[in-house]
Amino acid sequence: MRILRPDDEATLSAFLAKTPETAMFLRSNLAAVGLADNDQPYEATYVGAFDGEALVGVAAFCWNGNVMLQAPTERAPALAAAALAARPSRSCQGVLGAPEAVAEVLRLPAFADRHLRVAARQVLLACDLANLPPPTVHTDRVRPANLKDRDALAEWRHAYLCETLGAAESPALLAQAQDEIDRAIDAGRLYLLCMGDNALATAAFNATLPEIVQVGGLYCPPAERGLGYGRIVLHGALLAAREKGVARAVLFAAEANIGALRSSQALGFKPVADYALAFY
């Protein structure tokens, strides 16, 4: 077991490609910035476990404080502990990965006296975009977000982080939300459903590769919920991705979020794996 070096990038990419749906965060980040870690967005320190010359598991301690796991359950604690030790000045804010692996990592002494604000088991779903329902008059109202939308979307992102991830409202969290919206707009990853001048819902891709995208940040303000806007903005964003040559999409939803599961399944998404999120 060791920290991965720049010359390990091809080996890591090939390893992650074996589990394309569950490794989207890591695959997208690796494609964007490689194995550098200078505390910049998408960077991480990666620790790999090897069986002889073969890479068999990895933990990444990311710039934003999250530990991401792509490893067998029995190897996950040692990998996570080594990744945390490699960046002792970085505060761990969360652990993501297969439910059993996350559960074992949370037993480490580093987490013994900490209180989880969110611990959720998720259903990971995937869809072949060739099978999407055809566009409608409503999906035609979905467009890429732009800088004019920034302030409103940052407020929505702030609300999303509080509501979905259990974060506490604060100026620092709003600044984080603004940074995330700026990056998403710059990368063309953020979509907005509008009726006239009224913004109704938003969807984003929080991990992207040329052939596959991962949906994240699906949000409707409370006054607009229950009207199908979430499904419309998701459908429109996926149609836009398909036009760019993307063939497949994944997303995860909480097991208890029946509405999100039904909406995604109506667009052709089917469960492919379980996933877990734990945030401090």
Side-chain angles (χ1 to χ4, degrees):
M1 187 170 62
R2 60 173 174 81
I3 295 174
L4 299 186
R5 306 179 298 261
D7 59 355
D8 293 311
E9 185 171 336
T11 298
L12 177 57
S13 181
F15 169 72
L16 296 174
K18 297 175 183 177
T19 52
E21 288 93 358
T22 59
M24 271 302 296
F25 279 127
L26 292 176
R27 296 180 70 208
S28 177
N29 292 353
L30 182 67
V33 298
L35 287 170
D37 191 1
N38 298 301
D39 296 313
Q40 298 302 306
Y42 312 120
E43 294 181 345
T45 292
Y46 293 79
V47 176
F50 291 83
D51 184 358
E53 296 295 318
L55 181 63
V56 295
V58 67
F61 192 14
C62 302
W63 92 102
N64 58 6
N66 291 330
V67 173
M68 295 187 182
L69 305 167
Q70 200 69 22
T73 301
E74 65 274 13
R75 292 184 181 267
L79 283 166
L84 291 171
R87 294 303 300 256
S89 63
R90 180 176 290 166
S91 175
C92 182
Q93 303 299 315
V95 183
L96 298 83
E100 296 78 10
V102 170
E104 289 302 312
V105 168
L106 295 182
R107 299 178 191 274
L108 290 171
F111 302 106
D113 298 322
R114 301 187 65 186
H115 175 69
L116 281 167
R117 57 182 168 88
V118 173
R121 191 180 182 102
Q122 307 276 309
V123 180
L124 185 70
L125 305 101
C127 173
D128 289 326
L129 299 189
N131 299 327
L132 284 173
T136 69
V137 64
H138 299 298
T139 56
D140 288 344
R141 296 187 173 112
V142 177
R143 62 167 174 81
N146 59 52
L147 289 177
K148 293 180 180 179
D149 306 312
R150 176 184 183 265
D151 291 343
L153 291 179
E155 293 285 351
W156 284 12
R157 181 63 180 173
H158 181 262
Y160 172 89
L161 293 171
C162 294
E163 181 179 340
T164 305
L165 302 183
E169 292 186 19
S170 71
L173 186 68
L174 180 58
Q176 174 188 327
Q178 290 169 336
D179 287 344
E180 292 175 357
I181 292 298
D182 287 343
R183 289 198 299 270
I185 290 174
D186 288 345
R189 294 182 175 191
L190 187 58
Y191 291 83
L192 192 61
L193 170 64
C194 296
M195 301 288 186
D197 293 331
N198 297 320
L200 302 174
T202 186
F205 300 130
N206 58 19
T208 62
L209 291 168
E211 73 282 4
I212 185 171
V213 293
Q214 180 171 275
V215 178
L218 189 64
Y219 183 79
C220 292
E224 311 297 349
R225 292 177 188 172
L227 300 172
Y229 295 148
R231 176 179 169 182
I232 294 169
V233 74
L234 173 59
H235 189 186
L238 294 172
L239 288 167
R242 187 174 70 181
E243 289 181 359
K244 296 177 181 178
V246 177
R248 193 162 171 81
V250 299
L251 61 82
F252 42 80
E255 290 178 323
N257 193 342
I258 302 302
L261 292 172
R262 286 177 177 170
S263 292
S264 60
Q265 289 172 330
L267 294 175
F269 282 87
K270 296 179 181 179
V272 294
D274 291 327
Y275 203 74
L277 312 172
F279 295 110
Y280 290 92

